[in-house]
Amino acid sequence: QKEVEQDPGPLSVPEGAIVSLNCTYSNSAFQYFMWYRQYSRKGPELLMYTYSSGNKEDGRFTAQVDKSSKYISLFIRDSQPSDSATYLCAMSDTGRRALTFGSGTRLQVQP
Amino acid sequence: NAGVMQNPRHLVRRRGQEARLRCSPMKGHSHVYWYRQLPEEGLKFMVYLQKENIIDESGMPKERFSAEFPKEGPSILRIQQVVRGDSAAYFCASSPSGDSGNTIYFGEGSWLTVV
């Protein structure tokens, strides 16, 4: 079993839809949770960063962390074709800087 | 505002040759990380370095791979005697310090193809 599970998709939605992306994890020591966006042949771009449980909102993006369920989510409101990319969740525990990534979900937003 | 700079962006090597990938961290960042991304897979941690120190190399293959971050100059990821399975994207990332609360910023990657 992988430490971080992420549905690979592809997930195809119409423009304007609300997108929900999710990851589950097994390591209860994870305290820091991140979402990265990666366009084809590009480096990962940090979108959201959350410490421990709770919600965080930034523009059209909302990140949620539920540590009791070991489940994190990224919501994208009013999705745009430019949001079409692979979304990677990542997490780490206190004291160790190595990030553990999910395998990524490929999102396609249809105009 | 220069980000994490990696070069070369694309590198082709024949089996048995050496590959050297370079990374200059963001200005003000003293911590460097290397990750590898195989086709259709997520990123896998390889090594974490500070200037002149390897902090965590738990993700590095035991043979043929080495990394350094000298006092002066970029960090180098070196792969000796490359094999086809080394073909991947190698990403460097940096952060201002080793505090777990600091976020990590990635470069654009170096794509290694072994023929």
Side-chain angles (χ1 to χ4, degrees):
Chain A
Q1 183 187 3
K2 292 181 180 178
E3 244 184 326
V4 179
E5 298 277 1
Q6 187 174 6
D7 187 331
L11 178 63
S12 183
V13 301
E15 184 175 353
I18 297 174
V19 176
S20 172
L21 304 166
N22 312 294
C23 287
T24 58
Y25 62 95
S26 56
N27 187 347
S28 58
F30 287 145
Q31 296 279 355
Y32 300 90
F33 303 91
M34 286 134 277
W35 286 94
Y36 286 85
R37 177 173 62 194
Q38 187 177 25
Y39 293 111
S40 181
R41 306 289 286 184
K42 297 288 187 181
E45 172 193 7
L46 180 65
L47 285 177
M48 299 290 284
Y49 169 79
T50 310
Y51 170 70
S52 195
S53 284
N55 295 357
K56 186 173 183 179
E57 187 174 322
D58 184 1
R60 295 185 296 112
F61 299 92
T62 299
Q64 289 185 351
V65 175
D66 181 350
K67 290 190 66 183
S68 62
S69 302
K70 297 191 180 68
Y71 186 88
I72 69 170
S73 301
L74 177 71
F75 297 94
I76 307 174
R77 289 182 298 281
D78 188 25
S79 56
Q80 302 295 310
S82 58
D83 294 328
S84 298
T86 296
Y87 289 79
L88 300 159
C89 64
M91 43 201 81
S92 67
D93 58 42
T94 303
R96 188 160 184 263
R97 292 296 279 151
L99 298 180
T100 302
F101 279 85
S103 55
T105 298
R106 192 149 50 95
L107 172 67
Q108 295 172 344
V109 181
Q110 307 293 341
Chain B
N1 182 21
V4 178
M5 304 299 292
Q6 290 188 248
N7 68 82
R9 291 295 315 282
H10 302 277
L11 183 63
V12 179
R13 285 287 178 265
R14 296 188 183 278
R15 281 177 293 170
Q17 291 185 319
E18 178 179 289
R20 282 191 181 223
L21 309 177
R22 289 175 291 278
C23 170
S24 296
M26 286 179 70
K27 188 176 181 180
H29 287 193
S30 58
H31 296 245
V32 164
Y33 316 80
W34 286 93
Y35 286 78
R36 177 166 64 176
Q37 187 174 37
L38 295 169
E40 305 302 322
E41 291 190 20
L43 284 83
K44 305 292 185 189
F45 169 76
M46 299 181 75
V47 63
Y48 161 34
L49 311 103
Q50 294 179 35
K51 288 280 188 182
E52 300 183 284
N53 280 307
I54 296 175
I55 307 302
D56 181 352
E57 57 181 346
S58 58
M60 285 282 269
K62 297 293 182 229
E63 298 178 347
R64 302 187 297 109
F65 285 72
S66 62
E68 63 176 7
F69 189 15
K71 188 176 181 181
E72 300 291 338
S75 174
I76 307 284
L77 180 67
R78 183 183 178 201
I79 311 171
Q80 295 178 289
Q81 298 175 311
V82 296
V83 300
R84 289 244 169 93
D86 296 333
S87 296
Y90 292 83
F91 290 96
C92 174
S94 71
S95 66
S97 76
D99 183 341
S100 298
N102 279 311
T103 51
I104 297 173
Y105 298 90
F106 283 82
E108 292 288 83
S110 291
W111 267 259
L112 171 65
T113 302
V114 180
V115 297

